[in-house]
Amino acid sequence: MIEEDITPIAIEDKMKESYLNYSLSVIIGRALPDVRDGLKPVHRRILYATQDLGLSADKPHKKSARIVGEVLGKYHPHGDAAVYDAMVRMAQNFNQRYTLIDGHGNFGSIDGDSAAAMRYTEARLTELAQEILGDIKKETVDFVDNFDGNLQEPTVLPARVPNLLVNGSSGIAVGMSTDIPPHNLSETISALIHLLHNPDSSLEELMEHLPGPDFPTGAQIIGDEEIKKAYRTGKGRIILRAKTEIEKVSSSKKRIIISEIPYQLNKAKLIEEMATVVKKEKVENIVDIRDESDQEGLRVVIELKSKANPEIVLNRLYKYTSLQSSYRINLLALVDQKPQTMGLKTILQHFLDFRREVITRRSTFELNQAKKRQHTLKGIQTALDSLDKVISVIRNSPSAKQAQKNLQEEIGVSAQQAKAILNMKLQRLVSLEREKIEAEAAELKKKIERLTSILEQRQVMNKLITKELREIKAEYGDHRKTEIIADGSKAELDESDLIKDEDIVLSLSYHKYLKRSNDRDKLRASKDDYITHIFSGTTRDDLLFFTNQGQVHILNTHQIPEHHGLSTGDPLSDFLKLPLDEKIVGVLLLSEEIKNKYISIVTKKGRVKKSLAREYETTISSLKAIKLNQDDEVIDVKITDGNQKFLLGTKQGQTIHFEEGEISATGRNTKGVKGIDLAKNDEVIAFNLTKPQDFVVAISADGRGKRSKLEAYTTQNRNGKGLQTLSSDKYELIQVITAAENDQLLLVNSEGELQKINVAEITLTKRIGSMYSQLQSSNTKLEKAIKLPK
């Protein structure tokens, strides 16, 4: 029996070792780019294999399947789909800021369409890719065995282009990931040159040359503070926003045009997303979304309803869709085969160090070649100076090998020089050829001096690095595509941020026509209508519409289109969609000044409640204003300041006059307290704020009225039965209203007819005097009486 040497190993240790090996393989061999050439192994192998096939930018394209096969068979023993997908991304101008593969055929689209199968498409290198591969045959980088040891492949490409920053990179490794955004080539090179000549440059100085990422799809970056943070620490998050413009279709209609979208955003999915939020009514006033993109560029058209505010629509789209989205920055790459998170300056410095290494190795290679050639030319010159002797030695030698040895001995040349002399053509014996050899020797001498100075003098090296970088910039540089908006506060989406703050005047008529103007004198109603409310405010204020059901509906004033001239405004129904069981009983303007006051509410069952107006400040369109009992409803609302007097009037002619201070402020969704003790079958019909000079006007349903001085309505404590304002219980009141003598009232009868009367025309009586004044000529029942604004 053969004895086996068994070493016990804990399974935890074996698992740790195996997982660590796997992690390192993923980190180094697949997921993370190298800080020097900015490439992952698969991309590096694709470029190298494509060059091996001779597919330079000036050669015809070759089938993608041929390139993929070359990569798989020689360097990358993984799935063909993975290799082809990587190659496709290198050819997509919406994924790569500067493409490295020149694709021919269907290589996908920004709508998320997949590329055609590799057997249908063709590819070759771009000119910029050739700059990344340039000088690779001059021993500028190390080579290692491929997976089967039959070939060698480069560990890194020489890269004249700062590809890591220029094209960026993203990848998920084990326990870490990288997200490096693309940058503008011209700006990146400017920053590199500045750092090369100013090694102590601050981040702020570098950002004067390289202000931030530059995405292939353009769009906008909102705020530069996160860019600075990412460049300083290696980590950050920036806000990307689509680039839009507003087109005027007609005097009352506009449309939104989207011309650029955030990086890595699928256009088709974005349009679908916008359609979804419109369907869910998160975004209003959109009637159609069309994709009019073509070969000239991206164009998505958003058609708006007539008189819609495009800024508001845009702001909601930014808030609820990917039209504005965030991009995570994590500047993680391999440095000496180890993952490292770096700031901008460190990445730039690594590239400069790599360029210095490449140029050193290239110059050393070229210097050795030049010296070798110089040595050969010296031997040829020696032979030409002793031509007869050379011919004699060669003629008398029995073999080429002996001739080489004899030349070394007779004319004093090296083996290399003797071999060159033997290989020399007879035509070089003519005088013209002698001159060419001398000229070549002189050029070689200069070249050797230049290469030596590059290797020995850092200043000369820096000058060469600068020259080569400027050549790349001049050949391939372009203008920035992504606009950077320095004000980061614009990323915080608030509708008011997009609204110009201006003074406005609003009017609401009895027939519910709403008009916005910049001049009070331009407010007007139609022939058979009257203005019942006038508000002065700004475009940042809100209109609050209180209903009998205790709800308040909120309308932003900037949503109301401005009208001039003879226009009477727009129907309120264009802006508010009220439930069938609700009717408006009060309208208030919530301005900054009003927010520090109170909103007081009275119900028909005599309850009174007040809350701070600031509690009605919200971004939603509807709120509960009061908690109502089942058989109760709101009859009116007022803005109060805590120091006013309330006068409530009832249908049966009772009034109560009390101090506002008797009412404590409570939360918005509360019931309030009793303001008046009602008799059976009575209900409150009026809520007034009184002034000493006011009259109290009582109006009955049969069209009669009277007015009395306010002093007759002495103040009492709330929740009393109050004072009578009628001499007889045969009248049913529709309104008890406080008004000055020069005020006007609007009477509305059951047939909807409107009649305006002056308060001064109504008979002045005692508090419980008779209803002397006949306010209307017809016998039609009156339903409302409204005090008109002055």
Side-chain angles (χ1 to χ4, degrees), residues 31-72:
L32 301 183
D34 193 292
V35 72
R36 297 169 293 179
D37 62 5
L39 297 170
K40 298 178 188 178
V42 64
H43 301 115
R44 188 177 299 118
R45 288 163 177 167
I46 289 170
L47 294 180
Y48 186 64
T50 307
Q51 186 190 53
D52 258 1
L53 288 171
L55 299 179
S56 56
D58 58 348
K59 297 294 192 303
H61 295 79
K62 189 166 284 191
K63 286 289 184 183
S64 298
R66 177 70 180 87
I67 299 172
V68 171
E70 186 82 359
V71 175
L72 291 177

Side-chain angles (χ1 to χ4, degrees), residues 734-759:
I734 61 160
Q735 183 61 283
V736 177
I737 193 167
T738 57
E741 193 168 19
N742 60 348
D743 281 338
Q744 293 181 318
L745 303 181
L746 180 67
L747 305 181
V748 185
N749 65 24
S750 58
E751 294 183 357
E753 296 172 334
L754 307 180
Q755 177 187 342
K756 185 168 67 173
I757 64 167
N758 297 317
V759 171

Side-chain angles (χ1 to χ4, degrees), residues 556-572:
N556 310 125
T557 56
H558 53 246
Q559 292 181 269
I560 305 167
E562 188 170 356
H563 287 274
H564 301 285
L566 300 176
S567 169
T568 57
D570 301 298
L572 183 60

